[in-house]
Amino acid sequence: MNGADERFMKLAIEAADRAERLGEVPIGAIIVKDDAVIARGYNLRELNQQALAHAELMAIEEACKMLGTWRLTDCTLYVTLEPCPMCAGAIVQSRIDRVVYGASDPKAGCAGTLMNLLQEERFNHQAEVVSGVLEEECSSRLTRFFQEIRERKREERKKKSE
């Protein structure tokens, strides 16, 4: 981890905050090439009602448009939560060279927690993985978000039973 990793992860956290303001799970991603941000993404599954609208996929799509190619070589993806299997597959397929994530995902993490698709030697591309960058800032947003949802649901059940 280096200072640039923290600086860019803060931008991914800003994207996560934008998702949360929209009522989405607060996960944000950015893609950097040559020390410049070329794409941003955040979860849009609820707003768009699309299963594929994960932060990483939104950022990958934008980066491909920006560069005019599907090959995102020499790029680093920063994401606040460890990529799921779908996003890890997209990272491999888009040839991103480096992935930096904040919080581990014990339920779906495929960058080292449940498995590591990003460094699977049987694939034709592997990515360097850096984990735990600003981990507390990333995980606390998710924890707070889901606590608030559970509290709202408890209040709704309480009102219905009255």
Side-chain angles (χ1 to χ4, degrees):
M1 181 173 61
N2 57 46
D5 285 348
E6 288 188 5
R7 178 168 47 99
F8 288 124
M9 185 60 75
K10 286 179 182 178
L11 296 176
I13 290 170
E14 287 176 13
D17 290 344
R18 186 163 182 197
E20 186 171 14
R21 286 192 297 275
L22 295 171
E24 294 282 346
V25 177
I27 301 170
I30 64 162
I31 296 178
V32 173
K33 183 177 175 100
D34 299 326
D35 208 37
V37 175
I38 62 166
R40 298 173 198 274
Y42 46 86
N43 267 20
L44 289 171
R45 285 195 315 176
E46 297 301 325
L47 197 63
N48 294 350
Q49 289 299 297
Q50 292 181 353
L52 303 180
H54 284 205
E56 298 96 321
L57 297 183
M58 302 291 94
I60 287 170
E61 183 177 357
E62 185 177 309
C64 290
K65 287 178 185 173
M66 172 74 171
L67 297 178
T69 181
W70 62 268
R71 291 179 185 90
L72 300 179
T73 53
D74 301 320
C75 290
T76 299
L77 179 133
Y78 293 85
V79 62
T80 56
L81 182 66
E82 180 180 5
C84 72
M86 175 179 68
C87 292
I91 290 164
V92 169
Q93 291 299 314
S94 63
R95 309 298 195 267
I96 291 173
D97 289 325
R98 189 166 179 264
V99 175
V100 179
Y101 71 86
S104 295
D105 185 350
K107 293 182 179 180
C110 285
T113 298
L114 295 180
M115 62 184 64
N116 192 341
L117 294 176
L118 298 179
Q119 296 179 321
E120 173 55 59
E121 292 181 6
R122 293 173 290 181
F123 291 146
N124 64 341
H125 178 79
Q126 293 82 39
E128 176 189 347
V129 176
V130 178
S131 61
V133 175
L134 300 180
E135 182 173 12
E136 179 55 36
E137 286 183 56
C138 295
S139 65
S140 65
R141 277 168 171 73
L142 290 161
T143 301
R144 183 187 69 245
F145 179 81
F146 288 113
Q147 283 174 340
E148 289 172 2
I149 286 177
R150 286 190 294 275
E151 183 59 33
R152 276 197 305 270
K153 286 182 178 179
R154 276 194 292 274
E155 291 296 321
E156 288 171 8
R157 283 194 301 271
K158 186 177 174 183
K159 285 180 182 178
K160 285 181 181 178
S161 67
E162 290 176 351

